[in-house]
Amino acid sequence: MSGFEAATAVKRIGDGRYEADLDGDFGFAEALNGGYLMAVLDRAAVDASPHEHPISTAATFLRPAKPGRAELVVDTRKAGRTAATSLVGLVQDGRPVVEALITTGTLGAAAEPVFAGPAPAVPVPPLEECTSMLPDEGAEGFAGQVDMRFDRSTMGWLDGTPSGRPEIRAWFRLRDGYGPDAVSLALTVDALPPVALNLGSKGWAPTVELTWHMRAVPAPGWLAVHGTGRLLSDGWFDEEVEVWDSTGRLVAQSRQIARVGIGVRK
Amino acid sequence: MSGFEAATAVKRIGDGRYEADLDGDFGFAEALNGGYLMAVLDRAAVDASPHEHPISTAATFLRPAKPGRAELVVDTRKAGRTAATSLVGLVQDGRPVVEALITTGTLGAAAEPVFAGPAPAVPVPPLEECTSMLPDEGAEGFAGQVDMRFDRSTMGWLDGTPSGRPEIRAWFRLRDGYGPDAVSLALTVDALPPVALNLGSKGWAPTVELTWHMRAVPAPGWLAVHGTGRLLSDGWFDEEVEVWDSTGRLVAQSRQIARVGIGVRK
């Protein structure tokens, strides 16, 4: 076991209690990525459930998580035949860091949609036309774990020319070949840089709340990730992410609300 | 105090403990409306917080709520200067009925958006062209509390001609003249009939999880409510609602995931 699987492993230490060893490579500076943390919470929720998939994960981020030991508490609130719900908390040094209401269920791998809305109006360009943000393949940290290839037209913020449109589009896969699966999708929905960077915002945009829904079992291959936003007002910004698999299926959707820091362009 | 204000009143009975008397008029048959329940939870969360508005409410619906006495438990998880987060549970007969992670903050009534995305492509038609679903004004129950005027083109499911597009558009206000305000918006985001009815689904579509975000302080007047959905697959359906106020501001946005019952048209 290595890479993403090891980094998200949970060890059962009691009834509804788990421990994890959080991997600093899934973060930036001192703060671990929210999607990575949700992946750990979802893994614990599924382990404690009779069902296979985290259908709904509504996570609130209370404090930055640090690399190292964390404890998870899974408190089952309802155990139904179709779905089960638990409150899952991640605790470090005795303080709650992330809490999530997680509903698990089991999606059929061969389920055919009764209705599927249109794919995003602007697709991610072909992989060979997209760009890694990395100078080389020797990157460490988050970029060393995750292979993302960006639509260049959505990355103007990198060189000081933000597009003015809160959109980022990219291809996504884990470098170690893991997944995609139910747990890695939690990472995927929060892997893009903040789309508010294209509105001229500066710096970190801490996620306050993120809800994501798993909608289908993803097929092998690259995932197309579409990030957008609706409103930046009073320091609050929403970001919506849709994840489409290699067969063109919508496999995950999320919305988060984040604080956008000082330095926003008026 | 009467109408919506009385129906959502919470009485503090201890540290983080409240009681409410749930009003059967805010429901259908035996099940109370999820938006009404969120309004009660949000009222308790705001009362226990130094902040004024429920910025983020991520609610999971465990069991149907019944009219009558309910207890609310507000467990503060973080009390910050900008935002505070609590876990709020609604309990009846000793069993958890709804649980929500609620983050409160205070939005400026005069805040000007830094960025606002476009209004929905298809507006709600002028009020005089929209229709109430009621035969007369003497309606009881939910329709006696809430005045909604629907875009007829989105209501074909009523007479057996669903449009095939998961969309419902309507104007909304409370009949007693209350609001709109932070608490009534919780009701508004879950007041439409299930948009999956336009896909030919039959019967009740129980909400499993609904997250809504308050984005601005609503101006007086009618609210425009836009409901859509992306994917109906494996018995699960997402529904997104945007609420726009009389000045054309996005004031609330929500997504829910619901079970869609037997009888779905394939």
Side-chain angles (χ1 to χ4, degrees), chain B residues 140-205:
Chain B
E140 295 186 352
F142 195 73
Q145 309 305 315
V146 164
D147 189 0
M148 283 195 285
R149 311 289 177 88
F150 293 90
D151 177 342
R152 293 165 189 267
S153 74
T154 66
M155 296 296 277
W157 57 273
L158 260 184
D159 61 9
T161 57
S163 67
R165 296 183 306 277
E167 300 172 2
I168 296 182
R169 291 180 286 274
W171 297 103
F172 174 100
R173 67 177 179 187
L174 280 160
R175 291 192 187 274
D176 68 359
Y178 182 97
D181 73 0
V183 174
S184 71
L185 285 174
L187 176 66
T188 310
V189 299
D190 195 34
L192 294 177
V195 300
L197 292 168
N198 272 324
L199 299 175
S201 74
K202 306 291 184 197
W204 197 37

Side-chain angles (χ1 to χ4, degrees), chain A residues 26-104:
Chain A
F26 285 90
F28 298 94
E30 282 301 288
L32 292 170
N33 172 265
Y36 165 65
L37 297 173
M38 291 194 300
V40 176
L41 269 69
D42 282 331
R43 183 132 14 231
V46 167
D47 187 87
S49 157
H51 306 295
E52 286 180 41
H53 301 130
I55 304 287
S56 174
T57 302
T60 298
F61 297 88
L62 303 168
R63 301 175 176 83
K66 298 170 301 187
R69 188 176 181 281
E71 189 170 336
L72 294 123
V73 180
V74 180
D75 183 2
T76 301
R77 314 303 286 159
K78 178 186 174 181
R81 195 174 52 84
T82 305
T85 298
S86 54
L87 174 70
V88 185
L90 187 149
V91 177
Q92 282 187 314
D93 301 332
R95 301 171 82 195
V97 171
V98 186
E99 304 220 15
L101 285 160
I102 298 177
T103 295
T104 54

